[in-house]
């Protein structure tokens, strides 16, 4: 009986010893399990591209006596494919032209054309009783005007009203363009300046036409007198 109890106690001791050994080994096993990888931080990705807008072409032009603005823009960092052009009025409502392609040309505000593109009206002029008179509601677009180009970024530039030329007029026919401060326009007149006379050289005075004629007459008279004297001398020799 005592032997049986001893065997049972030994078995219990073995079980407890095994449990203790397993418990002691558990932390070591836990240390060997790989931990899940951490999610990448935001610094692992490149920063987003900053949107930019540049103008390859920004050129006022005259075509068929009509003023236009020709443009071409390139945008980065945006998916927008159209441009909005805003003519900035410093003292009133702006003129907005939206949904335009990234390159092309637009009419200058105040310019009007017919279905064929022929000019009917020009900014800065109005037609009264069949006569073109300077001044209208679009005076602010000349001689220059600020223009804002918008895609997603935006860009503001200054456009000068295109000048007239012998082949293209940006003003009504038969009119003089409004005078720009500081410089004459193509339709204004400039007083002619007489060329300065050349300084007289040493010992010589320039002769007028009358003076030259007088010298020629005097020389002819001397020649005639010489001829008379020669004739008289010959006659005297003949008489002797």
């Amino acid at each position: 009986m005592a032997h049986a109890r001893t065997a049972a106690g030994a078995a219990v001791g073995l079980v407890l010893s095994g449990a203790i050994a397993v418990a002691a080994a558990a932390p070591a096993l836990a240390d060997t399990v790989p931990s899940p990888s951490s999610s990448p931080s935001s610094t692992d990705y490149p920063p987003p591209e900053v949107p930019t807008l540049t103008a390859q072409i920004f050129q006022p032009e005259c075509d068929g006596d009509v003023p236009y603005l020709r443009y071409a823009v390139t945008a980065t960092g945006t998916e927008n494919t159209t441009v909005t052009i805003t003519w900035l009025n410093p003292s009133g409502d702006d003129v907005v032209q939206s949904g335009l392609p990234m390159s092309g040309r637009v009419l200058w505000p105040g310019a009007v054309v017919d279905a064929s593109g022929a000019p009917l009206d020009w900014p800065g002029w109005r037609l009264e009783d069949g006569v073109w008179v300077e001044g209208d509601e679009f005076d602010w677009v000349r001689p220059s005007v600020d223009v804002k180009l918008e895609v997603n970024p935006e860009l503001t530039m200054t456009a000068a009203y295109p000048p007239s030329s012998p082949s293209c007029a940006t003003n009504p026919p038969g009119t003089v363009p409004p005078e720009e401060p500081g410089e004459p326009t193509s339709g204004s007149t400039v007083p002619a300046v007489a060329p300065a006379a050349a300084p007289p050289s040493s010992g010589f005075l320039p002769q007028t036409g009358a003076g030259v004629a007088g010298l020629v007459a005097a020389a002819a008279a001397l020649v005639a007198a010489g001829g008379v004297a020669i004739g008289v001398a010959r006659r005297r020799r003949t008489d002797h």
Side-chain angles (χ1 to χ4, degrees):
M1 189 72 178
H3 178 73
R5 289 176 182 172
T6 302
V12 172
L14 289 173
V15 172
L16 293 175
S17 298
I20 293 172
V22 170
L29 293 174
D31 291 341
T32 61
V33 177
S35 60
S37 60
S38 60
S39 59
S41 64
S42 59
T43 58
D44 295 335
Y45 297 99
E49 184 179 6
V50 178
T52 64
L53 181 64
T54 56
Q56 279 70 45
I57 300 175
F58 188 80
Q59 181 63 49
E61 68 176 24
C62 179
D63 184 13
D65 297 339
V66 180
Y68 293 95
L69 175 65
R70 183 173 294 278
Y71 69 93
V73 297
T74 299
T76 63
T78 178
E79 296 181 355
N80 293 345
T81 58
T82 61
V83 60
T84 296
I85 296 180
T86 302
W87 304 76
L88 302 175
N89 186 347
S91 59
D93 295 334
D94 298 334
V95 174
V96 181
Q97 300 161 321
S98 59
L100 301 173
M102 300 293 277
S103 64
R105 71 178 186 178
V106 291
L107 274 173
W108 214 271
V112 180
V113 297
D114 62 16
S116 65
L120 297 176
D121 196 3
W122 292 262
W125 296 90
R126 67 186 187 277
L127 190 61
E128 292 185 355
D129 299 327
V131 177
W132 288 102
V133 179
E134 184 181 339
D136 72 349
E137 66 272 24
F138 290 100
D139 290 344
W140 56 275
V141 301
R142 52 188 308 170
S144 63
V145 58
D146 288 339
V147 181
K148 182 169 65 175
L149 308 169
E150 296 176 274
V151 178
N152 179 2
E154 63 184 47
L155 175 66
T156 300
M157 304 177 71
T158 300
Y161 188 74
S164 295
S165 69
S167 60
C168 192
T170 52
N171 299 284
T175 62
V176 177
E179 231 179 283
E180 313 297 351
E183 60 176 327
T185 60
S186 58
S188 59
T189 58
V190 179
V193 178
S201 58
S202 176
F204 174 77
L205 292 176
Q207 301 292 328
T208 64
V212 172
L215 291 175
V216 172
L222 289 174
V223 172
V228 170
I230 292 172
V232 171
R234 287 180 179 176
R235 184 176 304 169
R236 287 179 179 175
R237 284 197 297 270
T238 303
D239 293 340
H240 291 289

